[in-house]
Amino acid sequence: MMLRALREAAELSTAQVAEHLASSQPKVSRIENAVSPVSKGDLMLMLNLYGVTDPDEQDRHWQLARAGRERGWWESYRDVITGSLGSYIGFENDATSLKIWSLGVFPGLLQTEAYARALFAADPVRTEPEEVDRLVAARMQRQQRIENDGLSLWVVLDESLLHRQVGSSEVLAGQLERVASPPPGVTVQVLPSNIGWHSGLSGAFTIMEFAEYPTIAFREALTGDTPVDAARDVGRYTLAFDHLRASALSPVESKKAAASVTRELRKEQQ
């Protein structure tokens, strides 16, 4: 939810909101960071305080809050899935389709186990092997929705990802084979590096569509994925994604590009 953005737009402090709710500052912060769920009563009090009084808009925020608070399989990984990541996975688990623009690393739903492990192990924050094992296991479980539930996934990758080695060349080759032969229901396109300005330069993002809730977007940041749910802003992300996939190689040509790099890597390994 965008409760923090709404509060800041209303020029209110967490202390003022806490006083309005007859609650505490830490509780308000936990709600804003998606660490704690928000009750419908508290949400309505907050929205009214922020000037969001339209019933349809309030209901949209409540539906999003309900989607984000559903308990699921990831609860058993609460030791490693914390803060905004848990909220993101909660929404992802309820989505019917995702549109992803990836700029830094391959998206989690498309990563091989070896690539995910190399990625987590390279992170200086992840120092314990047990933590890496847990994170990899959680990431692999997230991918089960693609095969088991028919989650639709459309991914546009920056071409630099085809050459950015995370782990060994063997790890990258295996990841590129996944790109060249994605699971059913997954469409992958590659955006050539020779394209100058494009709508994805400001960073990676994901658009989630639901059967019962409004579409939302998440923009990627160092400290986690930040939700964007204002209809106008979601529309801008949707338009940006449409421009990206229009500029990218076709799915067929994208598979060929990934396969070509894979062949070169395999030759180097011989």
Side-chain angles (χ1 to χ4, degrees), residues 26-268:
K27 178 181 176 180
V28 174
S29 295
R30 288 196 300 270
I31 290 173
E32 288 187 346
N33 293 317
V35 175
S36 296
V38 61
S39 68
K40 188 171 185 178
D42 282 347
L43 178 63
M44 293 304 122
L45 286 173
M46 295 169 82
L47 292 175
N48 286 324
L49 180 64
Y50 303 155
V52 181
T53 57
D54 179 73
D56 290 338
E57 188 72 5
Q58 288 186 340
D59 183 64
R60 190 164 69 86
H61 279 281
W62 172 237
Q63 296 302 328
L64 287 171
R66 288 179 59 193
R69 65 190 278 179
E70 292 294 331
R71 297 180 65 85
W73 61 264
W74 56 95
E75 292 294 331
S76 62
Y77 290 94
R78 275 299 181 186
D79 55 323
V80 291
I81 297 178
T82 58
S84 62
L85 179 57
S87 178
Y88 178 91
I89 294 177
F91 282 113
E92 180 185 271
N93 196 67
D94 209 31
T96 56
S97 68
L98 273 67
K99 298 173 181 176
I100 303 174
W101 158 239
S102 286
L103 186 62
V105 297
F106 290 96
L109 288 174
L110 196 61
Q111 291 174 8
T112 64
E113 181 173 345
Y115 183 91
R117 184 172 299 279
L119 192 66
F120 288 127
D123 186 345
V125 177
R126 316 293 183 187
T127 57
E128 298 297 330
E130 295 79 5
E131 182 181 10
V132 172
D133 289 342
R134 294 278 288 162
L135 286 164
V136 172
R139 181 146 297 181
M140 295 302 101
Q141 188 156 350
R142 281 174 60 191
Q143 296 181 6
Q144 292 181 13
R145 282 212 62 215
I146 297 174
E147 296 184 5
N148 298 341
D149 300 336
L151 175 65
S152 176
L153 193 64
W154 195 304
V155 180
V156 179
L157 305 170
D158 187 81
E159 187 181 13
S160 62
L161 293 180
L162 305 187
H163 307 280
R164 180 172 297 123
Q165 187 169 311
V166 176
S168 65
S169 60
E170 174 65 30
V171 169
L172 179 57
Q175 180 62 57
L176 292 178
E177 287 173 346
R178 170 74 61 86
V179 172
S181 183
V186 177
T187 301
V188 180
Q189 291 182 261
V190 174
L191 185 72
S193 297
N194 60 8
I195 292 179
W197 183 93
H198 59 75
S199 56
L201 287 175
S202 59
F205 61 84
T206 298
I207 300 168
M208 296 187 186
E209 297 175 333
F210 306 86
E212 300 179 2
Y213 313 120
T215 300
I216 61 173
F218 285 84
R219 62 175 181 268
E220 191 173 298
L222 181 62
T223 54
D225 295 283
T226 304
V228 177
D229 66 350
R232 182 176 63 178
D233 293 335
V234 172
R236 292 181 64 183
Y237 277 98
T238 301
L239 181 61
F241 187 82
D242 288 342
H243 279 292
L244 286 167
R245 62 182 172 183
S247 302
L249 300 176
S250 71
V252 172
E253 291 301 317
S254 297
K255 291 178 181 180
K256 290 180 180 178
S260 176
V261 178
T262 304
R263 286 193 295 271
E264 293 301 317
L265 287 170
R266 296 298 188 197
K267 288 181 181 178
E268 294 174 3

